Amino acid sequence: MTTEPIRAGVIGWPVGHSRSPRIHGHWLGELGINGIYDRFAVPPDRIDAFLAEFEKSGLKGANVTIPYKENAFRALDVVHPAAKALGAANTLWLEDGMLHGDNTDGAGFIANLDQNITEFSELSGSALVLGAGGAARAVIHALKERGFGPIHVANRTVAKAEAIAESFGGEILPMEWNNEAIQRIISDPTLSLLVHTTSLGMKGQPPLELGISGLDPRVVVTDLIYAPLETDLIKQAKQQGNPAVGGLGMLIHQAVPGFERWFGARPVPDEALTGLLVADLEKS
Ligand code: NAP
């Protein structure tokens, strides 16, 4: 008797760039699970109907990527805590006919640092987050949960940093995207962590022009960008002896909870998967 494969996928517009099929496909093969993970490019005029009738899709669950994480949040029957805090869902699953959703970006961000930075779990104190987009919201929420504070948030559109401070409360300090002000925080001896979350420095985007020579050598530096694998920021941090890690590990770790929900086994991120993704990124 043949059993039907469990089906999941990633929903977005466009969705061709998504690395998620590579990640989940690798784990399905490695764990010998009868499952399929596809891409679903859903146009903007159909996304709300698609999500409202998710059960009809035949999917056990899905990842949701740009620009639909807020649409997904609004379609949920059961909202899990990180999605509730962020107003956006990137991981959906059906349970007893109800659409559940959570946001795993923040947990993926922290897991990447825990895995790659020695004693990151012991770290607290002040953080500087550059950027206030969707990814920054997830990062700031996760840092706040981990006990970091104050969290300085610099953004070109300062109103977005202010909105984050207002919605999360606590010690979140919005600031202008201004080199002088940023340099003041960079050379503050109480700083523990520098996080870059804008698209500057990504392949095809303008560079992030930021001097970090004023950082104390113990400050941890991380960049959410994974294409290129090592941004100029990460290269510079490593050269001057700061502990530093790029964004590929976050991409991998944020995928773990969804896989477990849909396919019933918890994958362990390993060198083999990192190697596959690095090879893909080097080709593209
Ligand atoms: P988003 O919501 O569109 O936010 C983009 C951010 O970049 C905003 O803060 C924006 O500032 C800033 N920005 C864009 N162009 C700029 C410029 N020319 N000068 C100054 N600031 C500029 O995007 P997102 O989803 O947060 O993603 C941001 C980055 O994180 C992307 O590179 C993405 O690939 C990466 N990311 C990585 C992972 C991972 O798993 N590693 C996960 C999510 C995202 P304004 O608000 O002023 O426009």
Side-chain angles (χ1 to χ4, degrees):
M1 193 184 85
T2 54
T3 50
E4 283 292 309
I6 302 169
R7 300 186 60 220
V10 56
I11 304 164
W13 182 262
V15 80
H17 65 283
S18 172
R19 312 274 163 190
S20 294
R22 195 66 155 146
I23 297 173
H24 292 285
H26 171 78
W27 287 334
L28 286 169
E30 197 172 57
L31 294 165
I33 292 171
N34 184 18
I36 296 174
Y37 187 99
D38 280 327
R39 290 186 170 87
F40 297 89
V42 183
D45 60 345
R46 290 192 29 223
I47 186 63
D48 291 324
F50 181 94
L51 291 166
E53 300 184 332
F54 191 83
E55 246 185 310
K56 291 190 187 162
S57 67
L59 301 175
K60 179 85 200 292
N63 287 124
V64 183
T65 188
I66 288 170
Y68 294 146
K69 293 182 188 182
E70 285 83 11
N71 300 67
F73 171 76
R74 290 192 292 272
L76 298 177
D77 300 312
V78 182
V79 184
H80 288 253
K84 186 171 182 194
L86 300 173
N90 73 341
T91 304
L92 311 179
W93 66 97
L94 284 170
E95 220 175 288
D96 302 325
M98 309 272 263
L99 186 62
H100 288 241
D102 206 351
N103 196 309
T104 64
D105 281 336
F109 167 76
I110 294 286
N112 182 35
L113 287 162
D114 279 340
Q115 186 179 25
N116 291 293
I117 303 291
T118 312
E119 294 182 356
F120 181 77
S121 58
E122 310 295 314
L123 200 67
S124 62
S126 142
L128 170 58
V129 176
L130 301 173
R137 286 181 78 85
V139 162
I140 293 163
H141 180 252
L143 289 176
K144 190 168 173 262
E145 297 270 289
R146 259 289 171 111
F148 280 88
I151 304 173
H152 304 271
V153 183
N155 197 44
R156 179 179 60 175
T157 311
V158 74
K160 281 207 222 161
E162 287 165 354
I164 293 178
E166 197 167 314
S167 66
F168 293 170
E171 269 193 301
I172 296 172
L173 307 177
M175 57 186 279
E176 303 276 343
W177 184 269
N178 161 314
N179 192 47
E180 205 178 308
I182 290 174
Q183 289 303 329
R184 252 199 311 277
I185 307 294
I186 280 185
S187 50
D188 181 337
T190 66
L191 190 70
S192 300
L193 175 68
L194 169 63
V195 188
H196 175 240
T197 76
T198 84
S199 47
L200 294 173
M202 202 165 101
K203 227 175 196 169
Q205 297 294 318
L208 169 72
E209 282 161 353
L210 178 74
I212 56 163
S213 58
L215 279 181
D216 186 280
R218 59 173 181 77
V219 176
V220 173
V221 178
T222 184
D223 196 326
L224 266 50
I225 291 173
Y226 52 83
L229 275 169
E230 274 202 352
T231 58
D232 289 345
L233 175 68
I234 295 300
K235 280 188 194 147
Q236 202 183 327
K238 286 185 175 173
Q239 267 163 18
Q240 63 187 51
N242 289 88
V245 65
L248 188 62
M250 172 176 171
L251 180 74
I252 295 172
H253 281 284
Q254 63 76 32
V256 170
F259 187 96
E260 187 176 18
R261 295 268 184 203
W262 312 318
F263 301 117
R266 190 166 181 89
V268 178
D270 60 9
E271 292 293 319
L273 176 57
T274 306
L276 269 180
L277 294 170
V278 169
D280 281 356
L281 287 165
E282 281 169 353
K283 267 187 265 162
S284 63

